[in-house]
Amino acid sequence: MPTAAYLVRNEVWKCLADFRLPDSLGFGLVAAPVMYSATFEGGQWKQGELLPYGAIEILPGARALHFAEQVFEGMKAYRVGRPAANLFRARDNYLRFKRSAERLAMRPVPQELFLEGIHAVVGACTAFVPDKSGQSLYVRPFLFGTEPGYAVRASTSARFMVIANPSEAYSAGVMKVLIEREQVRAAAGGLGTVKAGANYAASLLASTRAVERGYTVALWLDPTTRQNIEELSGMNLFAVIGDELHTPVLNDSILPGVTRDSLIVLARDSGWRVIERSMAVAELLRQLASGECSEVFACGTAAIVCPISLIGDSDGREYRPGVIDARARELRERLLAIQERRAPDPYGWTSEVIPLVRPDRHGRVGT
Ligand SMILES: *Cc1c(COP(=O)(O)O)cnc(C)c1O
């Protein structure tokens, strides 16, 4: 980003100086010491600010709390073996964030403001972007309606924030997924194609039950016929069938993942046939039983590519892919090498973040 149009609160410098990365990071458990906040009020965006991470105040009547008027993004900044951090496909996250806001009738955050918030937090936290391969600074931009009231209409005021978490590679290890036959994650034409917190709320009961039955996550079917595979609650799904890579074609209830799209590009460029189609769950289970489907995996920003060792059905039957983490691993390693800028990036997917430097007494930065 060019010059900072946002305000840096004075306490930010002390809290950056005092912050130490703990030895154990986990995923999303350690809060970065600063956050970005900008408010939309009276028909315009106010100047954004960088401030210490901490509790915020909103009115109890805020529509975010009553009507789930909230959308978000998840992205990562990497800094493996380099002084500055870099983002991955930030513009694609922006475009999706904009679509998400529009779907909820919220005023989208302008692209400059979105990037300003992300660059402010990542730039300030450059030293806290853990730098071992697989580690990253997980970045969470979000937008929520702050106007109080029960009239069912969009808020006229909103707040855009960016928080971040120095994180280990998110590892669900090898996942066991349970086909959810009754509930649906998103209605056809509902919020499924956008990143709204409400989708996660809708998924929690099935997720809880899946975990109670010894699985990692629920596998969602399409809301209309419940015959076709859609995705997991926060990850898209791929299957290796014969020599081809198959994934559910995007529809009006699947979330178009940036990782999904990146894997399709990488796989095609390395000569694999990738087929996006409607995937009947009955057919996939047959192909798993016959061995025709050899491998299944899921993908998303947090876990990147995560192998699946078991697919369970509600009738108690279980299906095991013959291969675990072969193609998945190959794709994960290729993608991560680009994300971490260890490999050339012919797609222009990565972009650097200029570290935030404290101005001197004269307000000057640098030499
Ligand atoms: C975020 C998300 C994904 C993964 O998207 P990425 O852009 O790859 O992180 C997949 N499915 C759902 C439901 C999601 O919310």
Side-chain angles (χ1 to χ4, degrees), residues 3 19 24-25 29 36 52 64 73 79 93 111 127 134 144 156 251 266 330:
T3 50
F19 186 77
S24 161
L25 295 173
L29 301 177
Y36 174 92
E73 272 302 321
R79 191 173 67 88
N93 287 102
Q111 178 167 278
F144 55 97
T156 56
N251 59 19
L266 289 180
E330 206 177 313

Side-chain angles (χ1 to χ4, degrees), residues 96 185 195 200 231-236 255 257-259 300-301:
R96 189 170 65 191
R185 184 189 80 93
K195 237 171 156 59
Y200 282 74
E231 58 174 321
L232 309 181
S233 300
M235 289 192 231
N236 297 111
L255 191 285
V258 173
T259 317
T301 295

Side-chain angles (χ1 to χ4, degrees), residues 317-337:
R317 278 193 239 187
E318 296 193 322
Y319 303 79
R320 288 164 212 275
V323 179
I324 293 166
D325 209 23
R327 293 273 173 121
R329 178 181 179 156
E330 206 177 313
L331 283 171
R332 181 172 62 245
E333 286 177 357
R334 285 197 56 206
L335 179 58
L336 191 59

Side-chain angles (χ1 to χ4, degrees), residues 170-184:
Y170 172 87
S171 171
V174 175
M175 294 194 295
K176 299 175 184 177
V177 304
L178 178 62
I179 299 167
E180 173 56 53
R181 294 276 182 183
E182 279 171 14
Q183 298 184 355
V184 295

Side-chain angles (χ1 to χ4, degrees), residues 293-356:
C293 170
S294 55
E295 187 177 344
V296 186
F297 56 88
C299 72
T301 295
I304 310 180
V305 179
C306 187
I308 292 171
S309 64
L310 181 72
I311 297 184
D313 205 345
S314 52
D315 61 7
R317 278 193 239 187
E318 296 193 322
Y319 303 79
R320 288 164 212 275
V323 179
I324 293 166
D325 209 23
R327 293 273 173 121
R329 178 181 179 156
E330 206 177 313
L331 283 171
R332 181 172 62 245
E333 286 177 357
R334 285 197 56 206
L335 179 58
L336 191 59
I338 294 176
Q339 291 174 322
E340 293 179 344
R341 288 193 158 177
R342 291 182 281 107
D345 170 16
Y347 312 104
W349 281 341
T350 62
S351 57
E352 193 159 281
V353 179
I354 298 168
L356 179 70

Side-chain angles (χ1 to χ4, degrees), residues 254-265:
I254 293 180
L255 191 285
V258 173
T259 317
R260 174 189 181 277
D261 184 72
S262 306
L263 294 185
I264 291 174
V265 170

